[in-house]
Amino acid sequence: MVCLKNSYPSTLVFGACFIATFMIVYFQILDGYADTGFLILTGNNEPVRVFRNQVLNTAERRKPEQNATPIAKDQNVIHFEKLLETRRNWLNYACRNYYKNKTQPSVEEALEAGGYHTRNGFLIDITRNVSICTMAKVACTNWKLLFLTLNGVNVSAFTGDDVLGAVGHYGITLNKYSVSEAAALLSNFTNVIFVRHPFDRVLSAYRDKIEPKPDGHYWKGYGESLVKKYNTKNESVYTYPSFELFVRHIVDSDVSTFDVHWKRYVDHCQPCSIQYQFIGHQENLNEESNMILKILNIDHLHEFPKRDKFYKMAPTNELRDSYFSQLKPELVQQLYNKYFEDFYLFGYI
């Protein structure tokens, strides 16, 4: 630009020329930093890299929330997140030890090993990229209700039997995908798992499925056969499948043949291959489940269902001593050995 003398006062001419020259140089600099950006200092003397489109479109890009005061996290959430981190760290450490001399399976290999029941146990919300590996006797009906709700199903009038049928009808499990597709989803999802003390789970399975119920499905499938299996030819010691008899059956069976209601966590949810961001404990079921929903920002959609919606029996942990006192210490040790991986991986040791 050439600044010519004219009738305007010299100070005005000099000022105009200075401003015009400054603007030309300024935009040339911006052109030079269009891709790499340049550093400026904020009011707090903190360096920030700025790009040309940010400078030229500041008014368009400014959003009200950028200047809003950040909302402090709830202290309960902070405490729970630290607890989750501790559980994840322990699981990772335990898995490294567990597979110290073995090759750790990939997610796809783990799903293949888990088979139908593992994929069917994963409930998914494809819209929010969230999954949970449900375990029988670990509030699985409650989680099915929740995930049906997240998938837009009205469950207000459901009974316990309705829930199981609805899960299959609405296709909210991984079973509708191939193994490779399911593995890809889990690798990109936020994954949740809930566990409980392994002995409590075994006892819960017995009380719900095996304890004397002459008309029950499991009585026909397991109760009568267990009585026949453990009775000698000369005497009928067992007239019904006592808790001791049930535990003996588990101890004598190969883990690969376990019914889904007492199948081990390590086999069903494959926690050393599938990454779980949330590891909850049923011992604090309502508090932890609702905290997880809050962290996932879905607590406004549905509160975690209460236990007594479908279950009327006394809580299993209140009866543990009375049942396990019926067992000889050697049998308790054998049961512990059978579920050792579950005790170890989830810190119940």
Side-chain angles (χ1 to χ4, degrees):
M1 170 179 283
V2 179
C3 293
L4 302 175
K5 293 183 178 180
N6 51 36
S7 59
Y8 292 101
S10 59
T11 55
L12 292 178
V13 173
F14 176 79
C17 290
F18 175 81
I19 292 172
T21 303
F22 173 80
M23 294 300 291
I24 291 173
V25 173
Y26 177 73
F27 284 108
Q28 287 175 339
I29 291 174
L30 287 181
D31 284 334
Y33 286 100
D35 296 322
T36 61
F38 59 99
L39 292 176
I40 64 171
L41 291 178
T42 66
N44 297 324
N45 291 323
E46 296 177 351
V48 176
R49 186 167 297 278
V50 179
F51 295 86
R52 179 180 182 184
N53 61 345
Q54 290 176 305
V55 176
L56 296 182
N57 300 303
T58 300
E60 296 175 8
R61 293 173 173 270
R62 186 179 293 117
K63 298 179 181 179
E65 61 267 27
Q66 288 177 332
N67 298 320
T69 303
I71 300 175
K73 268 190 178 181
D74 187 304
Q75 287 300 312
N76 291 330
V77 172
I78 294 174
H79 173 76
F80 184 59
E81 287 179 334
K82 290 180 179 178
L83 178 61
L84 290 172
E85 183 179 10
T86 300
R87 291 173 180 173
R88 287 193 299 268
N89 289 341
W90 172 260
L91 178 60
N92 291 334
Y93 167 80
C95 285
R96 287 196 300 271
N97 284 341
Y98 182 63
Y99 282 101
K100 185 181 295 183
N101 300 315
K102 298 180 286 187
T103 302
Q104 187 165 320
S106 66
V107 177
E108 189 167 341
E109 291 169 337
L111 290 176
E112 284 279 15
Y116 168 85
H117 286 297
T118 289
R119 296 194 299 279
N120 196 55
F122 270 97
L123 307 179
I124 59 173
D125 178 1
I126 202 75
T127 302
R128 300 172 182 84
N129 292 349
V130 177
S131 81
I132 182 169
C133 182
T134 57
M135 294 288 302
K137 313 316 302 172
V138 190
C140 63
T141 301
N142 302 59
W143 284 110
K144 288 171 183 175
L145 277 172
L146 176 64
F147 270 75
L148 284 167
T149 301
L150 293 178
N151 280 273
V153 181
N154 183 356
V155 300
S156 58
F158 274 23
T159 65
D161 291 336
D162 293 332
V163 175
L164 182 60
V167 167
H169 176 74
Y170 289 101
I172 65 170
T173 75
L174 284 181
N175 257 340
K176 68 177 182 179
Y177 299 96
S178 69
V179 172
S180 59
E181 290 171 336
L185 288 174
L186 292 181
S187 297
N188 291 284
F189 271 24
T190 297
N191 303 313
V192 181
I193 183 174
F194 260 77
V195 295
R196 70 191 297 187
H197 193 289
F199 280 177
D200 285 348
R201 184 162 170 262
V202 169
L203 177 54
S204 179
Y206 171 74
R207 293 178 63 218
D208 185 40
K209 301 298 180 183
I210 307 298
E211 210 164 28
K213 293 181 179 179
D215 297 325
H217 167 74
Y218 271 79
W219 172 271
K220 293 293 183 183
Y222 283 93
E224 292 179 346
S225 63
L226 290 183
V227 170
K228 292 178 181 178
K229 175 181 178 181
Y230 289 99
N231 275 333
T232 64
K233 293 181 179 179
N234 298 324
E235 57 180 343
S236 295
V237 178
Y238 303 106
T239 57
Y240 73 95
S242 65
F243 184 56
E244 177 195 358
L245 199 66
F246 177 60
V247 171
R248 284 182 60 182
H249 167 70
I250 290 178
V251 167
D252 292 344
S253 301
D254 188 277
V255 295
S256 65
T257 67
F258 280 10
D259 181 86
V260 67
H261 289 87
W262 49 91
K263 192 172 184 178
R264 304 184 307 173
Y265 305 135
V266 67
D267 302 317
H268 186 70
C269 291
Q270 302 288 330
C272 288
S273 298
I274 297 168
Q275 294 294 312
Y276 291 97
Q277 290 74 26
F278 294 95
I279 303 171
H281 283 195
Q282 178 155 315
E283 287 77 8
N284 304 301
L285 177 62
N286 287 326
E287 296 85 349
E288 295 196 12
S289 55
N290 283 315
M291 192 69 73
I292 289 173
L293 299 184
K294 184 174 184 179
I295 295 173
L296 292 174
N297 196 30
I298 55 179
D299 56 314
H300 62 289
L301 298 175
H302 194 66
E303 184 181 25
F304 189 74
K306 300 296 184 183
R307 177 185 184 275
D308 59 2
K309 182 174 177 64
F310 297 117
Y311 302 105
K312 304 301 180 184
M313 296 190 301
T316 294
N317 62 337
E318 296 178 5
L319 302 172
R320 183 198 305 166
D321 290 346
S322 66
Y323 278 84
F324 274 84
S325 65
Q326 304 169 22
L327 309 181
K328 293 179 180 180
E330 297 82 7
L331 187 57
V332 175
Q333 182 63 51
Q334 290 174 321
L335 184 64
Y336 173 81
N337 294 343
K338 211 71 174 181
Y339 286 90
F340 171 75
E341 288 83 353
D342 287 357
F343 277 97
Y344 180 53
L345 295 179
F346 292 101
Y348 284 104
I349 54 177

